[in-house]
Amino acid sequence: MAEARVAKGKIRHGQRESIRALIPAARIEKRIRAMAKEIRRDFPEERLHLVSVLKGGVFFLTDLARSIPGEVSFDFIAVASYGQNTHSSGQVRLTRDLDSSIEGQTVIVVEDILDTGMTLQYLLRLFQQRKPKHLRVAVLLDKPERRIAAVRADYVGFTIPNEFVVGYGLDYSERYRNLPYVGILKLGSGAKPQK
Ligand code: IMP
Ligand code: MG
């Protein structure tokens, strides 16, 4: 795999960071086109209402939406996790609600990554109460090793190992979201990056 040094030699927060490419942009694009087809095949007639979680899911949503034929609408929600360590706290709070009702709609939750599953568990409970016609989940990345909550995605782009990844919407302290590919972030100190 190609070793892509980001901000070569730069010290940020006193640590040298490097990124090793994991999923190239072309593979992401191809996979999203296939997922879009699969989703439309499952719901051939209906308007699909895509609901994305800010901010990490934004690129995935815009690429997915443009690849799904037929009628598509979308909306955004934002959440925050309590505590530093999502491992232990796992508390999720809504910071921005949807603009419109999802009652009777075919809703696809579009997430960048499914990690512990706490965020998705919270969202699915919340959305289920609002009586959508169908509720499905599409994630670009799935890190099954870290799962705590009993949730699963209906559409998965890539299953990845237990590594901290950035790019294509995913951040480390709000940085690297704009990388067109997904890469594994390593800190020079050898410490594990925390989300
Ligand atoms: P969960 O609630 O633990 O499933 O975490 C979901 C959220 O944590 C994602 O939407 C991301 O914002 C963030 N996250 C989880 N794993 C990573 C990662 O490897 N890199 C960057 N952000 C991550
Ligand atoms: Mg994040």
Side-chain angles (χ1 to χ4, degrees):
M1 238 173 284
E3 182 83 18
R5 270 244 178 272
V6 168
K8 199 176 175 186
K10 255 194 186 161
I11 313 290
R12 292 182 191 266
H13 308 297
Q15 289 167 328
R16 203 139 156 265
E17 298 168 7
S18 63
I19 295 176
R20 185 161 54 86
L22 180 69
I23 312 169
R27 265 189 80 201
I28 298 174
E29 283 162 29
K30 199 175 161 199
R31 183 70 192 116
I32 292 176
R33 280 198 297 271
M35 290 173 88
K37 270 193 194 159
E38 199 185 330
I39 294 170
R40 181 48 86 196
R41 209 180 301 130
D42 290 348
F43 301 100
E45 307 292 343
E46 343 213 340
R47 175 166 80 164
L48 296 171
H49 191 59
L50 308 185
V51 170
S52 186
V53 186
L54 293 171
K55 303 168 221 166
V58 167
F59 295 144
F60 181 35
L61 175 125
T62 55
D63 283 347
L64 189 67
R66 283 178 291 183
S67 294
I68 298 176
E71 212 181 325
V72 170
S73 54
F74 52 76
D75 203 346
F76 297 95
I77 199 159
V79 294
S81 308
Y82 285 119
Q84 298 276 47
N85 188 345
T86 359
H87 255 323
S88 53
S89 85
Q91 291 275 357
V92 182
R93 179 172 54 94
L94 195 65
T95 58
R96 182 208 186 274
D97 204 346
L98 298 171
D99 285 338
S100 59
S101 164
I102 56 166
E103 191 175 336
Q105 301 213 49
T106 297
V107 174
I108 315 281
V109 179
V110 178
E111 254 278 52
D112 51 358
I113 187 166
L114 179 50
D115 187 28
T116 65
M118 298 307 292
T119 309
L120 193 59
Q121 184 178 58
Y122 171 84
L123 291 176
L124 290 177
R125 279 184 187 153
L126 181 74
F127 292 159
Q128 205 68 67
Q129 290 165 7
R130 298 180 180 183
K131 302 191 168 41
K133 183 176 173 193
H134 300 284
L135 184 58
R136 298 288 186 273
V137 176
V139 298
L140 182 69
L141 307 173
D142 186 6
K143 230 194 259 183
E145 278 174 60
R146 295 243 311 162
R147 198 81 82 253
I148 295 170
V151 289
R152 50 171 287 280
D154 302 282
Y155 309 97
V156 175
F158 302 92
T159 300
I160 61 164
N162 185 10
E163 300 276 6
F164 192 87
V165 289
V166 292
Y168 199 79
L170 289 146
D171 73 304
Y172 177 58
S173 299
E174 296 300 323
R175 294 171 12 243
Y176 304 119
R177 289 194 199 275
N178 59 322
L179 293 179
Y181 60 91
V182 170
I184 297 173
L185 176 72
K186 293 285 182 199
L187 302 182
S189 63
K192 268 219 158 207
Q194 297 281 330
K195 63 181 175 185

